[in-house]
Amino acid sequence: MNVKYCRKSAISILAGLLIFVAPGVGAAASLAGSKGEVRFWPELPKNPKDPCTKAYNAYVAASGHSAYATTPYMRVTSLYMICGSRVNAPSQKAAEDAALKSCQAGRSKWKVTTGGACEIAASK
């Protein structure tokens, strides 16, 4: 008789644990479609073929740790916007570092005047 009650209580305890653990497992599986931690909303060109728009869309679609960096765009002082991204990095910090390096490489390559330095716009 004791074994019967122990078995029932063990099953109910395991079922209760499964209820609390299962949502966390599914949420940690993929970051695809998530905008992550948005620090500021990047000003994206309206053209879907623009490299910065493509980079941002790839960032949002990425399933792993990713980051999107850009120069701030101010209509009066900025003629150009430079961006960089890193998708599916080993960690969020690594993605942010790589995205900043990509953006800074673009600034040094094109040598244009922008509204400021490269900043992380969003990361996940």
Side-chain angles (χ1 to χ4, degrees):
M1 216 161 164
N2 286 337
V3 175
K4 181 179 178 182
Y5 293 120
C6 289
R7 185 179 300 158
K8 285 185 179 184
S9 62
I11 290 172
S12 64
I13 290 171
L14 289 174
L17 287 173
L18 184 62
I19 290 171
F20 289 110
V21 174
V25 171
S30 177
L31 297 170
S34 167
K35 293 186 178 163
E37 175 189 339
V38 178
R39 297 179 187 171
F40 65 91
W41 292 103
E43 183 71 33
L44 296 173
K46 304 295 184 223
N47 183 2
K49 294 182 181 180
D50 185 80
C52 287
T53 303
K54 285 182 179 181
Y56 184 76
N57 290 339
Y59 157 75
V60 172
S63 61
H65 294 290
S66 304
Y68 178 79
T70 185
T71 55
Y73 180 76
M74 291 177 258
R75 199 174 120 204
V76 177
T77 60
S78 302
L79 296 175
Y80 303 97
M81 185 176 78
I82 298 176
C83 62
S85 68
R86 173 69 163 98
V87 296
N88 299 327
S91 68
Q92 184 176 1
K93 176 77 172 132
E96 290 177 2
D97 291 342
L100 276 176
K101 285 181 185 177
S102 174
C103 182
Q104 290 164 349
R107 284 196 67 192
S108 63
K109 177 183 176 183
W110 289 297
K111 296 179 178 113
V112 294
T113 304
T114 61
C118 292
E119 299 175 29
I120 297 293
S123 69
K124 57 182 174 179

